[in-house]
Amino acid sequence: MISANSAATLGGVRAVALAEKFGTPLLVIDTDAVDAAVAQFETLAERYGLEVAYAGKAFLNVAFAKRLANTRLSLDVCSLGELVTAERAGIPAPRIVFHGCGKTGEELSAVVDGRAARIVVDNREELERLAARANPAKPVSIILRINPGIEAHTHAYVRTGGEESKFGFPLGEVEAAVVFSLAQAGLVLNGIHAHIGSNIFEAAPYEAAAVVALGIYARALELGAPLASLICGGGFGVDPYPGGERVALDELIAGLVRTVAHEALRLEIPAPKIGIEPGRALIAGAGTSLYRVVSVKRQGARRFAIVDGGLADNPRPALYGSYHHPVATGRDFAAAMVETTVCGRSCENDELMVAPLPEDLRAGDLLGVRTTGAYTFSMASNYNRFAKPAVVFAGGGLAALAVRRQTVDDVLASDV
Ligand code: LLP
């Protein structure tokens, strides 16, 4: 974890050296932290017979997918771009699950062609479009995503359960979808899926959603579906404040497994194999964004520090009001701290965070912004025609480029 002195390291490599060698802004992924998170999920998978699929939307590129290929995790993809990334990294189709709502014809065909082990179907039209393409000689394994009507306490933009959300089949439509699926020679209904949202810290909404989903699962079994899996989604929270941590995963999963087992007993059905889809919990804490301070100035009562990145490489503060903790690093600083508004260099008020930073912070200093592994690189844009930052993997004292920094030519590459 990054600290405020000249010797600060990430993955055992000095932050100053990383910034000097690879430039800034830079996303550094501590691969030791990734390995520890993967190991925790592998242990949970083994202990509870879970299926764990990493949600690629949180952070994905070929180098990272290659690391995943060497684990026991599967991968959720939700676009052709994510699928091809996985393929290029050598993740075999049996470990790929196709997700997303609003899949294109090309994406549905990719699944029919066997490029993913199964597909999570979001709605009736998608189910019909998939059925129309499916090949009875090579049936597609499908999972129906339901909207369990459970709202978790999270930002409205990342809440995906509840009646105000677009995702999944409304409960009233699931039975018809099951019946329809069973009538399709090209489809095999293997599971029920419910994901309630992202960055959730309580176990209760997971358990409540699992109970609803299991009721549907039992009904689908009764209708003759060859079900085996109950996918309970991802969304396991990560607290970005200093001292904050990932949600207590062991406890949460143990509770979920217990609830599902009890409910299966009550419904007199075989307990399903439980699946989870963590994104953030696996990668957020491993990431630190390194920025160079471009200027420090006062406006009225506020002190501003402007850095050489911002909204384009981390839209989360602007979109969700998310916090990422900044640490001045790379040299020894004065002990006195001043509340500072850190802004990016976009042509708008792109506040990244308000936090205490050393009073002698000045242009040229390095800022390490923590917990930026998830949904920053994957949501980065070329706003203002800024080039996207490089990504570096640092672990065991060694650093290697994972994604090279874009050039201005890259930014212009698709202009006709
Ligand atoms: N499964 C499904 C069906 C999902 O939609 C998602 C995330 C996940 C799993 C993984 O959720 P995670 O474990 O990463 O929380 N851009 C937002 C988060 C959007 C999450 C979208 N779906 C953010 O930056 O907070």
Side-chain angles (χ1 to χ4, degrees), residues 27-384:
L27 176 59
V28 183
I29 299 291
D30 178 338
T31 51
D32 298 334
V34 171
D35 291 347
V38 167
Q40 185 183 14
F41 282 110
E42 287 179 337
T43 305
L44 286 169
E46 206 166 294
R47 186 177 308 149
Y48 298 111
L50 291 183
E51 297 171 5
V52 181
Y54 168 69
K57 68 199 82 175
F59 175 80
L60 196 67
N61 47 71
V62 173
F64 191 66
K66 279 185 179 159
R67 293 188 75 87
L68 288 173
N70 293 323
T71 70
R72 277 171 278 152
L73 307 188
S74 293
L75 176 68
D76 277 0
V77 300
C78 65
S79 68
L80 222 44
E82 289 185 357
L83 175 65
V84 174
T85 304
E87 290 174 337
R88 208 159 286 175
I91 299 185
R95 280 171 59 198
I96 298 177
V97 182
F98 211 103
H99 245 289
C101 80
K103 298 173 189 76
T104 65
E106 213 180 345
E107 288 165 349
L108 295 176
S109 295
V111 176
V112 169
D113 291 345
R115 291 168 65 188
R118 58 194 191 190
I119 177 169
V120 178
V121 180
D122 178 81
N123 58 66
R124 176 76 192 203
E125 286 77 11
E126 188 172 288
L127 185 60
E128 288 171 359
R129 286 164 59 225
L130 180 66
R133 285 180 162 75
N135 172 6
K138 224 176 106 194
V140 175
S141 170
I142 66 167
I143 310 275
L144 293 183
R145 176 170 183 171
I146 63 156
N147 183 334
I150 308 286
E151 284 189 24
H153 294 148
T154 185
H155 193 283
Y157 289 3
V158 292
R159 190 183 296 148
T160 52
E163 283 168 4
E164 299 296 318
S165 140
K166 69 177 175 177
F167 293 97
F169 285 84
L171 292 181
E173 288 181 23
V174 190
E175 183 156 332
V178 170
V179 171
F180 176 86
S181 306
L182 291 174
Q184 310 303 314
L187 305 181
V188 184
L189 177 52
N190 284 141
I192 300 292
H193 174 286
H195 168 81
I196 47 175
S198 198
N199 217 16
I200 297 167
F201 290 87
E202 314 126 298
Y206 284 101
E207 295 180 20
V211 167
V212 173
L214 200 61
I216 287 170
Y217 184 100
R219 177 69 186 131
L221 275 182
E222 213 170 74
L223 291 166
L227 298 182
S229 299
L230 184 75
I231 315 291
C232 297
F236 311 109
V238 177
D239 181 351
Y241 288 89
E245 283 191 19
R246 194 160 53 202
V247 66
L249 270 173
D250 293 31
E251 265 168 61
L252 191 148
I253 299 297
L256 183 64
V257 169
R258 227 177 8 247
T259 300
V260 170
H262 281 160
E263 192 60 15
L265 211 61
R266 196 184 68 76
L267 294 166
E268 298 179 358
I269 57 170
K273 194 169 178 67
I274 298 176
I276 57 170
E277 307 165 329
R280 185 189 323 268
L282 190 141
I283 189 67
T288 301
S289 300
L290 291 179
Y291 298 106
R292 241 351 131 183
V293 175
V294 185
S295 60
V296 179
K297 61 181 181 180
R298 285 203 171 268
Q299 307 268 23
R302 296 174 85 181
R303 182 170 82 148
F304 288 91
I306 298 171
V307 297
D308 60 357
L311 175 62
D313 63 85
N314 183 359
R316 302 193 66 254
L319 266 176
Y320 319 115
S322 309
Y323 183 73
H324 294 273
H325 190 68
V327 178
T329 191
R331 68 178 171 95
D332 296 317
F333 289 90
M337 300 293 248
V338 177
E339 185 172 274
T340 307
T341 302
V342 180
C343 290
R345 66 189 195 103
S346 292
C347 298
E348 59 183 271
N349 245 336
D350 62 342
E351 286 189 11
L352 284 169
M353 71 281 296
V354 178
L357 284 168
E359 70 174 354
D360 60 343
L361 185 77
R362 56 177 186 245
D365 280 335
L366 264 189
L367 270 196
V369 172
R370 282 170 38 184
T371 333
T372 55
Y375 302 109
T376 59
F377 172 76
S378 65
M379 294 179 78
S381 75
N382 289 120
Y383 181 47
N384 287 160

